[in-house]
Amino acid sequence: MRYFFVIILISAFNLCAFAQWKSYYPEGSINVKETKKAQQNKKNKLFEQHFFKALKGKSIEDYEKAILDFDKCTEINPKSPQPFYELAMIYAEKGRYEIATEKINEAVKIEPNNKWYELLLAEILFAKQDFSNAAKQYKKLIKMDPLNEELYFNLSEAYLYTNQFKKAIRVYDDLQKKKGFDKMLCIQKHKLYRELNDINGAINELLSILIVFPEDIEVMEMLSELYILNDEQEMAFKVFKSILDIDPKNGRIHLTLADYYRSKGEKENSYKELKLAFMSTKLNVDIKLRILFSYYQLIPLSEEMQDQAYELIDILIEKYPENPKVRVVYADILYSDNKHQKAKSQYLFVLEKEKNKRELWTQVLFIQAEENDFEGILRTSEEALEYFPLEPLFYYFKGISKKWFKNYDDAITSLLTGVEFVFDNEALILEFYISLAESYNAKKTYKLSDQYYEKALEIDSNNVLVLNNYSYFLSVRKTNLEKALQMSFRCNEIVKDNGTYQDTYAWVLYQLGEYQKSKEWLSKALLNEGNKSAVIVEHYGDVLYKLGDFKEAIAQWKKAQKIGGAGKFIDRKVREGVLYE
């Protein structure tokens, strides 16, 4: 019995101890905490996996993949600002500013006053041209980092885009208070004052620079310009003089003084300053050349302007003897003064060194054409074609020079080649057709000659050269005389009292057997300087012979023989007194 009681007592004691152990170590509580911790660790690990995958995608510019992973991060941990910041950067880079704004605002909400988040928000607002809110954001950033100069410049730029120039000036003033005197800030404020048309404000900014840097020529030049704008001519003049005291060879100031004196009617002083400007090597040669361009049209009108132009170009030739631009301007001045030979020499001087100047080759060829220098035209055009094998004008000049030397096959080859390169230039095509017609006529390839004259008339039905020459060649061949008569008559309607055109009409009439009418038109031609042409005088003798006035016919043939250049039968006509055709 006692033994049984002891067993019961021990059992009761064990039950009590077990109950106390259970209350001290609650099994359910331990399981919950461990579960939560394990779940959080898993979330953190998953967040990190997506975040690093997103960063990798971003680094290789796989933005779509990066966006998906950053979005996953925001789902896993919506209280982490970093993924929102990264997403904002990507969307801003892609120009999707609205969603970028949304994302960066989330980052700022989670972590206010983070400098980098606030800065990105300002940059996105600026990029989407929300300049008003961008300015507010930059002001907030300046409070956070008052010594950051870039923020001040960004704020002022935001104000500039909304034309708030006064606010921009105040921003520069605030920055200057922080860092002390700064020339660049004064220059910026001077520009803004000019935008506001506050010339005095702009002047004061420049004067503040000159207090610190009294010999700053660039600032002094800007100041003189402002005085001129403010109609303070005398103040500007004083600044000019101060600049020349520091830099007596300042070409730009001499040029400005030349304008100043000219505006006051002091021509002599103006030209004196202009020469000093031209002598200055500090003044860009292109500026000097632009001034000389203005003399082109004045040279024929004024001997004084002509003398000045030559004196100024002489200065430039002395200063820049090898400069091709100077030589070209010199040539242009000579050409405008009708000194074509000297002009040609200058153009050729440049072409010796710079073969790629198409316009100079062209100018030389036109001068040679004016001089009827066909040998020179041939030489120049062939050389020019070595450098410009697709230039039609050079083929044209080569063709007409070959034609002049009666090398008709080469002339035709050059002309046919060149005309293929002509685009949108009917005037040049017309010249090609005329020369081809003349070349084929000289070769007695009359069908092709007539075809090219017809093509020429399709372009310009009133071209007197074509009308006259075509009708004359038809009359010589005694072919299609009615058409020749119509064309020649039209030519004489367009140009009155031209002896050459009147002779052509007369000769068509002669071939038609209308000798009396032919005589009447030849009489007109002789009164219009036709008496100086052996061909016209010989024609007059021929028609007189046909009309039976043999004595006067022989007298006219003798005149033609004396003039020189008449037809191949003129000597027999004079010697035998008989008409040969």
Side-chain angles (χ1 to χ4, degrees), residues 271 295 299 302-312:
Y271 182 59
Y295 276 85
I299 288 173
S302 167
E303 189 174 335
E304 181 185 5
M305 292 295 103
Q306 183 184 96
D307 292 341
Q308 286 185 14
Y310 281 117
E311 188 174 9
L312 293 173

Side-chain angles (χ1 to χ4, degrees), residues 454-497:
E454 291 293 342
K455 285 185 174 184
L457 287 172
E458 286 175 12
I459 294 172
D460 183 3
S461 60
N462 289 325
N463 186 291
V464 290
L465 182 65
V466 175
L467 291 168
N468 180 73
N469 291 359
Y470 189 15
S471 57
Y472 183 73
F473 289 145
L474 289 174
S475 71
V476 170
R477 287 156 42 200
K478 300 180 183 179
T479 302
N480 210 347
L481 291 175
E482 289 299 331
K483 179 180 179 65
L485 191 68
Q486 291 174 1
M487 289 191 296
S488 183
F489 183 76
R490 176 63 183 148
C491 178
N492 280 281
E493 277 187 326
I494 296 168
V495 179
K496 308 288 185 184
D497 302 326

